[in-house]
Amino acid sequence: PGGLGVFEGVVVAGLHRLGPPATIAGALLAYRAIYYLLPLAAVLLLNAVAGLRAGGARLRPVLAALRLVLYEVAPPLMGALAFAGGLVLLLSGAVPAAHGRMHVLVRLLPLPFIEASHLSASLVGTALLLVAPSLADRLESGLRAARLLFMLGAAFSLAKGLDFEEAVVMLTLVGFLQLSAPAFYRRTAEAFSSTSKGWLIAAAAALAISALSGIHAYRHVPYDNDLWWEFALRGDAPRFLRASFAAGILLAAYAWARLLRGPAPPAALRALPPEVFARAAAVSPRSDAALALTGDKHFLVHPAGDAFIMVGVRGRTWSVMGDPVGPRERWADLAWELRRHADAAHARLCLYQLSAEMLPLAIELGLKPIKYGEEAIIAPGGFTLEGSRMKSLRGSCGRAAREGLAVRIIPSGEVAHWLPRLAKVSDEWLVHRRAQEKSFSLGHFSEDYLCRSDIAVVVRGDAPDLPLAFANLWRSGDGAELSVDLMRHAAGAPPGTMDLLFTELVRLAGREGCSRFNLGLAPLSGVRGGSLAPGWARLTSFAFALDIGTFGLQGLRRYKDKFAPEWQPRFIAVPPGIPGIRALVDLVSLISSEPPPGRRHRPRFPTGPACAMHEFPVAAGNTRGGLIATTDGKCRAGYS
């Protein structure tokens, strides 16, 4: 078209005496672009706009699909590009500059400004390495920080050596960020908020590559301490030393700050209003809704105000305790709302002690269910001590009766009067078991918590005010379930004390019309192992076979099995892969952590003629420790 090729050949051949052929050919190319390509591009653009207006309805699904693809791909892609951009700035600061450009630059800017720009460019490159994971994690604050860093990187690239190529790359990345801005929706208080050790290791490796490149580039420059203080136009080696040192300090300071900083509190979760607990618990079929009263949890409340979810936070893991409390039709709304809040906060979601009714919803949330153990449920209506299976329980209860033991129910209004005596029992139990108070999945010995429910105590007939054992009672809101939480006995309690306590509580549940008595969980039990089982099942079965724990897992299962319960499965649901392992680690740490400060009882260790307290320093500062030992020097218990 237009004689393309023939026309240019004739003109170049005819005018070669008037100028260089390259100059004539360049003018012909400009002519073709101005008179052919520019009009064609303008017409195509106008036709595209007209076509979009006419067929916009048909194109909307395609554009929406492209937008979804962009939003999925943009965060990890921009994270990788930010990391690559940071590495480019570091490598550019580590190798010699183009001296021809430096001679031009020194005419435009003073040398101190050039030196400062070189150092700043390396610091910006290091910051881009650190902000890259925030982009991959879709943090809005990371988007803003990366956008600013790219613009600063472009400016410092020009100011340190007229590196136009780097500046164009940085500004292009700013444009890509702006186009994909809606994909970065997670709101956090800081831009550098990723806790991934993998990114930190990658940043350290990038810094090491930059340093090794500079060492290789200046291998012929003899090292001298004066190099650190040399400022000159051709002082590439001193600039490399100063930039590498500053970048290393910045990376080390960031890594140290990440180690020291604790997790931020979840903004989406809050305290539980009493009226919400009353409305939700009133229709709950499970008695463990009382765990909302322990004071160690956050809550997500349904907008209707009649349902909630209990959440414990440890690290980046949000652990949900049990099923949602409230009407069943609220469960899905609450679970998905929590999933959205956890995603926006870049938190892992873990569901703990789920019932089988909650499993379909856990799978919909994208979590992997794992069987955690089985819960012992007794039907009070058919409970009896007759029969060969109940022989052991019948014998222990008879022995306790011959000791003159009896069970009393202390109403919640009178519990405060009994607390000093119950505290002594609790102290003896903790010392004997070498245990400490736990939280999240269990209550703890505190006045605020125990005074909210009735307490069953075991006493002798000749000492009706001296408790030998106790358990606080949970009742479900619909009145169908009775269970216990804290179960503790004195060190000198006669054999069969706890058997008598549980037997009488099952009978109490029957008298109150309850259809279930919940004897609690047997962790890791009921999981089938074998070569064909999943890895988690084989590991669980192996741990159960080891019989680890204070009581022994198998021993706990055998003890509860004496009451002939129906065993119902309980599950944990975690994200698949490595995040699920991290969530389980955080969950174990949360369960074994000390209860929150408040009006809780501190154990008072016994002293007397046969005991002596021996203090010894256990850490720097004012912390002290000690041992409770008998006079023969054998250690019995420790405290700190």
Side-chain angles (χ1 to χ4, degrees):
L4 181 64
V6 178
F7 175 74
E8 283 77 11
V10 172
V11 172
V12 171
L15 300 180
H16 70 279
R17 296 182 179 179
L18 301 181
T23 303
I24 298 172
L28 291 172
L29 289 176
Y31 162 76
R32 289 289 187 183
I34 293 171
Y35 284 93
Y36 288 93
L37 295 181
L38 284 181
L40 177 62
V43 169
L44 289 175
L45 180 61
L46 290 173
N47 276 279
V49 172
L52 287 174
R53 288 182 176 178
R58 295 191 300 272
L59 289 176
R60 282 195 194 98
V62 178
L63 294 177
L66 290 176
R67 189 179 298 112
L68 287 176
V69 172
L70 174 64
Y71 290 170
E72 288 298 322
V73 173
L77 177 61
M78 291 310 304
L81 290 177
F83 193 91
L87 181 58
V88 166
L89 287 176
L90 287 173
L91 290 174
S92 176
V95 299
H99 291 293
R101 295 183 181 182
M102 292 296 292
H103 283 292
V104 175
L105 182 62
V106 78
R107 299 173 186 171
L108 302 174
L109 298 174
L111 182 60
F113 195 90
I114 297 174
E115 295 280 358
S117 298
H118 185 280
L119 180 64
S120 300
S122 296
L123 293 177
V124 168
T126 307
L128 282 172
L129 299 179
L130 299 177
V131 83
S134 298
L135 292 174
D137 293 337
R138 302 174 179 270
L139 302 188
E140 184 188 34
S141 53
L143 167 70
R144 295 195 298 266
R147 190 164 49 200
L148 175 61
L149 289 172
F150 281 138
M151 290 189 288
L152 289 176
F156 291 137
S157 295
L158 295 175
K160 74 182 178 66
L162 293 181
D163 293 327
F164 298 104
E165 302 86 355
E166 293 177 22
V168 170
V169 170
M170 297 295 157
L171 293 178
T172 303
L173 292 177
V174 171
F176 287 162
L177 268 180
Q178 197 61 32
L179 287 174
S180 57
F184 302 90
Y185 60 88
R186 289 173 171 160
R187 299 180 181 272
T188 59
E190 54 177 333
F192 305 92
S193 59
S194 177
T195 57
S196 173
K197 295 182 177 63
W199 282 101
L200 283 176
I201 294 173
L207 197 59
I209 291 172
S210 170
L212 291 174
S213 301
I215 292 172
H216 178 75
Y218 304 112
R219 62 188 182 279
H220 300 301
V221 178
Y223 175 78
D224 189 277
N225 290 334
D226 292 338
L227 283 176
W228 294 91
W229 314 108
E230 183 180 320
F231 301 91
L233 179 62
R234 292 181 175 270
D236 293 319
R239 280 194 284 269
F240 156 70
L241 288 176
R242 290 189 290 268
S244 299
F245 178 75
I249 291 296
L250 177 60
L251 180 61
Y254 172 79
W256 182 251
R258 296 297 337 154
L259 291 175
L260 294 180
R261 185 178 297 119
L269 309 178
R270 58 190 178 94
L272 183 66
E275 61 275 11
V276 173
F277 174 78
R279 292 182 60 189
V283 296
S284 175
R286 290 183 55 84
S287 57
D288 58 4
L291 283 172
L293 305 174
T294 57
D296 57 1
K297 298 174 182 65
H298 304 275
F299 301 90
L300 182 68
V301 178
H302 194 276
D306 59 353
F308 62 87
I309 287 180
M310 297 179 273
V311 183
V313 178
R314 180 55 56 100
R316 280 182 48 213
T317 302
W318 290 11
S319 299
V320 176
M321 180 62 224
D323 298 345
V325 180
R328 182 70 179 273
E329 59 269 19
R330 307 290 194 204
W331 287 15
D333 293 341
L334 273 172
W336 277 107
E337 186 67 15
L338 182 67
R339 180 73 175 85
R340 284 188 286 270
H341 283 302
D343 179 71
H346 192 222
R348 294 181 289 264
L349 200 58
C350 172
L351 309 183
Y352 179 57
Q353 287 195 19
L354 300 181
S355 65
E357 290 78 10
M358 188 67 178
L359 279 184
L361 188 53
I363 295 173
E364 288 179 17
L365 295 173
L367 302 177
K368 179 181 179 180
I370 300 172
K371 187 175 180 181
Y372 171 65
E374 292 184 316
E375 201 169 47
I377 304 297
I378 302 172
F383 180 76
T384 177
L385 294 181
E386 302 299 326
S388 58
R389 183 177 180 182
M390 310 299 287
K391 179 180 179 180
S392 174
L393 183 61
R394 185 168 62 248
S396 59
C397 289
R399 188 182 308 114
R402 289 192 295 273
E403 290 282 346
L405 303 186
V407 177
R408 291 183 59 183
I409 305 299
I410 309 301
S412 58
E414 301 178 14
V415 169
H417 176 68
W418 282 74
L419 278 180
R421 286 165 282 175
L422 299 178
K424 183 179 178 181
V425 174
S426 178
D427 293 348
E428 292 183 8
W429 188 88
L430 290 173
V431 171
H432 180 68
R433 296 293 180 185
R434 298 179 184 177
Q436 66 176 10
E437 296 281 7
K438 290 181 169 48
S439 62
F440 188 61
S441 61
L442 293 171
H444 53 274
F445 197 100
S446 73
E447 179 180 352
D448 293 336
Y449 173 62
L450 292 179
C451 289
R452 293 174 179 266
S453 61
D454 298 345
I455 290 185
V457 297
V458 180
V459 297
R460 289 185 187 273
D462 55 353
D465 295 330
L466 184 63
L468 297 174
F470 72 91
N472 66 313
L473 306 183
W474 285 347
R475 291 179 173 86
S476 63
D478 62 359
E481 182 175 280
L482 178 69
S483 65
V484 295
D485 180 25
L486 291 183
M487 300 170 286
R488 296 178 180 178
H489 60 81
T497 298
M498 299 307 290
D499 290 346
L500 176 67
L501 175 62
F502 294 136
T503 300
E504 292 302 319
L505 289 179
V506 174
R507 291 169 175 168
L508 173 66
R511 291 194 297 272
E512 292 185 356
C514 299
S515 59
R516 299 183 306 276
F517 180 82
N518 192 330
L519 198 54
L521 194 72
L524 308 187
S525 69
V527 181
R528 292 182 179 271
S531 59
L532 299 181
W536 63 265
R538 294 198 298 270
L539 182 62
T540 301
S541 179
F542 177 71
F544 184 75
L546 288 179
D547 208 22
I548 58 178
T550 303
F551 302 98
L553 298 175
Q554 295 183 26
L556 182 62
R557 167 79 184 217
R558 286 193 297 268
Y559 177 80
K560 295 184 177 183
D561 214 23
K562 291 196 304 182
F563 294 83
E566 175 189 352
W567 291 99
Q568 297 183 359
R570 289 293 175 263
F571 302 88
I572 299 177
V574 294
I578 299 298
I581 298 175
R582 293 177 176 174
L584 289 175
V585 172
D586 287 339
L587 175 63
V588 171
S589 175
L590 178 66
I591 293 173
S592 59
S593 63
E594 188 177 355
R599 299 175 63 189
R600 72 171 182 268
H601 171 71
R602 295 285 188 178
R604 293 187 296 272
F605 294 98
T607 59
C611 297
M613 305 293 287
H614 304 283
E615 287 197 345
F616 59 95
V618 293
N622 296 325
T623 304
R624 302 288 295 176
L627 297 174
I628 303 170
T630 55
T631 51
D632 60 1
K634 294 181 180 178
C635 175
R636 297 303 184 197
Y639 76 96
S640 65

